[in-house]
């Protein structure tokens, strides 16, 4: 229970929300640096339509150029059968499918009812069965910014439908940062009870400052898989000025301080995180890259030595 | 155990770190607005030397002009006997004394060894005995930015010395944001066991993003008293660019969502928080004032209604 398997989503979920195209070279270089930091998994890109998400139009090239490190899983987001074919051609280690547990959010985001999304994702699962493991990310599991409450039973119902199709894992997403720790504890307890045989990942945002509190609530329930984004990149279109995904290095710093084994070299990761503002052209929300880890000490001012002598 | 008593420290701990003097009128107006939000306690100002902290040189005037709301305690920071006399003349409801559990931090900050600080604070406690309740804030209880680790036993030893002097309360401060949730849980458990008869307050900073996770760890141990600063104001001189105190409205928003009773009118507080950047002349770290509380829903885009019809 002391091992955390962390999935870095900055080049997909983080970059997807950036206004200016990030050059392919910069994406490949960043992923290669992240690969050497010790993550369990990296969500590289999305095989969606280049028109829908121009930022990730270079998915094939990125997947072809990154240097894969043994032991790191390279997962990609896949919206449909066409995307799945592209992902398989690119030898993705895992296909990550996505739909929302809120009908309104699914209509707003994926432009179809949930039932139609489910049919489409089922076709993908049928297509890749036995060829690549599938993870399904369920959006808005802790609340929809338009509908409000999403009942836990509704989340469990969609989770069960995908579990019945034989997926390897489920990611339970707090897409717009509406989760609070008591809700997370209840959800994780129910998920572990019903889907403990699957790889269960929790995906939090820090929109309202509760990101790491929700991480704490999740790991207290025995959750071992988490998503995070370098620097906390990944805005929410409904909350201008608000922060996005939980910051990977801040979450890993907390978990390591608490004694969890993450496999991640934090110093190395912080060096990468400190270069992120240059890559995206603006400041990012992450705190530990600015303040330094708690192990970074500061020299005492000269006055302290003088005072020690004066009071000796 | 479901009631949280929150102490707002923005006009003392928050303002103290601001570079430009905030006019007395603005301080009084802000405190009067905060008083009507439902806080249990407000730390108004500090009766320190006007030369040491010019920002709080108007302590008497502020204390004289604020409109006190019944049920709210107005506490003030007091460094020594002279400050205590001024605080008593200003009819403070509580005197909050401060020293550090780290020798180096005490020398750097208060310019004397801890033992000398203790003697000075004991003189204050003797002076006001039977006249006003005393709280003692112990700094760097979860680590010193210069010394590093501060052993829990060292914190408990200083706490015991003040408990023996008959203080009403102790505030255990994570002065530069070095605490992590496992450490907080251990500390709170030990504090409750040994000093459960005192008013125990936890004071966290969000320097490394762990502020609300530490709040969660504290309340899980039965802690009911917390400090926080409006907007998350209150920087740390050792961490440029890092955030300061935990943000009151973000902490209260989380605790209320979890079902805790705080007595605070969150909508009213958010309206006050949204005026803070104008008062201090810069953006502040608080998230909920930007993103809105989780109960704030957004209208669905027009396309959703069209899609509903198309798929009906």
């Amino acid at each position: 229970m002391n091992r955390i398997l962390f999935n870095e989503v900055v080049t997909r979920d983080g970059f997807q929300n950036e206004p200016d195209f990030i050059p392919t070279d910069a994406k490949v270089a960043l992923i290669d640096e992240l690969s050497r930091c010790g993550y369990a998994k990296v969500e590289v890109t999305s095989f969606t339509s280049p028109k829908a998400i121009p930022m990730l139009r270079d998915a094939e090239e990125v997947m072809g150029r990154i240097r894969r490190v043994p032991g790191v899983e390279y997962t990609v987001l896949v919206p449909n059968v066409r995307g799945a074919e592209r992902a398989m051609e690119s030898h993705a280690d895992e296909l990550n499918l996505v739909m929302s547990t809120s009908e309104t959010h699914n209509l707003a985001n994926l432009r179809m009812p949930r039932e139609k999304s489910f049919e489409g994702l089922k076709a993908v699962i049928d297509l890749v069965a036995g060829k690549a493991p599938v993870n399904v990310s369920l959006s808005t599991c802790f609340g929809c910014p338009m509908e409000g409450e999403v009942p836990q039973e509704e989340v469990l119902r969609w989770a069960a439908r995908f579990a019945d199709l034989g997926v390897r894992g489920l990611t339970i997403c707090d897409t717009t940062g509406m989760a609070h720790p008591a809700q997370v504890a209840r959800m994780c307890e129910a998920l572990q009870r019903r889907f403990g045989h699957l790889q269960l990942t929790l995906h939090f945002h820090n929109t309202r400052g509760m990101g790491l509190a929700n991480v704490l609530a999740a790991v207290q329930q025995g959750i071992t898989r988490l998503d995070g984004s370098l620097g906390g990149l990944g805005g929410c279109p409904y909350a201008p000025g608000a922060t996005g995904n939980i910051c990977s290095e801040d979450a890993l710093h907390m978990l390591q301080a608490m004694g969890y084994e993450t496999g991640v070299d934090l110093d190395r990761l912080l060096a990468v995180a400190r270069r992120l503002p240059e890559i995206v052209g603006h400041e990012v929300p992450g705190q530990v890259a600015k303040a330094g880890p708690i192990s970074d000490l500061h020299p005492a001012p000269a006055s302290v030595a003088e005072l020690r002598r004066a009071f000796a």
Side-chain angles (χ1 to χ4, degrees), chain A:
Chain A
M1 281 316 205
N2 209 30
R3 176 77 166 109
I4 298 291
L5 298 153
F6 210 93
N7 177 27
E8 175 57 63
V9 304
V10 65
T11 57
R12 204 283 298 165
D13 203 2
F15 282 3
Q16 191 172 320
N17 287 288
E18 288 300 307
D20 302 322
F21 185 75
I22 293 162
T24 308
D25 286 353
K27 286 172 183 151
V28 171
L30 178 60
I31 293 162
D32 284 348
E33 287 179 355
L34 292 169
S35 283
R36 290 189 292 263
C37 288
Y39 283 103
K41 201 189 273 195
V42 175
E43 190 173 63
V44 176
T45 186
S46 175
F47 284 97
T48 186
S49 150
K51 276 179 207 152
I53 307 179
M55 171 64 87
L56 304 179
R57 66 185 182 228
D58 53 6
E60 272 87 356
E61 190 180 350
V62 170
M63 281 295 282
R65 285 180 53 195
I66 56 171
R67 275 173 293 186
R68 302 196 189 190
V69 170
V72 182
E73 275 203 345
Y74 297 88
T75 187
V76 294
L77 197 76
V78 161
N80 50 33
V81 165
R82 177 68 198 111
E85 289 164 350
R86 292 169 61 201
M88 300 294 284
E89 283 160 24
S90 290
H91 304 288
D93 294 326
E94 179 192 81
L95 275 59
N96 183 28
L97 317 185
V98 62
M99 67 167 283
S100 185
T101 55
S102 149
E103 183 76 358
T104 306
H105 189 261
N106 207 73
L107 286 163
N109 238 36
L110 304 177
R111 305 190 56 78
M112 64 183 95
R114 288 173 299 176
E115 201 57 44
K116 192 144 180 79
S117 280
F118 181 79
E119 283 168 30
L121 299 186
K122 181 177 181 307
V124 172
I125 294 166
D126 291 343
L127 176 77
V128 304
K131 295 180 207 149
V134 169
N135 185 80
V136 173
S137 287
L138 296 173
S139 303
T140 68
C141 289
F142 297 91
C144 167
M146 294 162 288
E147 284 187 11
E149 193 200 354
V150 173
Q152 182 174 294
E153 272 312 311
E154 188 67 7
V155 175
L156 297 175
R157 184 172 75 84
W158 288 101
R161 291 185 75 181
F162 284 107
D164 289 347
L165 297 181
V167 302
R168 183 180 67 166
L170 295 168
T171 300
I172 305 302
C173 302
D174 180 28
T175 310
T176 62
M178 296 176 72
H180 62 76
Q183 186 186 17
V184 170
R186 286 193 294 269
M187 180 74 81
C188 291
E189 200 270 331
L191 288 166
Q192 299 270 48
R193 199 171 52 233
R194 289 184 54 178
F195 309 106
H197 58 297
L198 299 182
Q199 292 185 1
L200 294 174
T201 303
L202 270 289
H203 174 109
F204 295 118
H205 280 234
N206 194 38
T207 319
R208 291 164 180 90
M210 295 184 280
L212 295 200
N214 288 332
V215 166
L216 177 62
V219 298
Q220 284 177 339
Q221 293 295 324
I223 291 294
T224 59
R225 293 174 183 271
L226 295 163
D227 282 358
S229 178
L230 192 73
L233 215 65
C236 164
Y238 301 104
T243 52
N245 290 64
I246 59 162
C247 172
S248 299
E249 64 273 23
D250 288 6
L252 287 160
H253 171 264
M254 178 179 88
L255 292 165
Q256 289 184 9
M258 293 176 72
Y260 286 93
E261 283 178 31
T262 67
V264 172
D265 180 335
L266 190 67
D267 287 337
R268 188 163 197 157
L269 180 60
L270 286 172
V272 182
R274 287 177 177 134
R275 289 194 290 273
L276 185 62
E278 200 185 308
I279 297 172
V280 296
H282 58 78
E283 283 302 303
V284 296
Q287 285 297 306
V288 178
K290 292 168 194 140
I294 52 180
S295 54
D296 269 11
L297 300 185
H298 300 261
S303 61
V304 165
E306 291 161 28
L307 288 161
R308 273 190 216 277
R309 277 191 296 273
F311 282 100

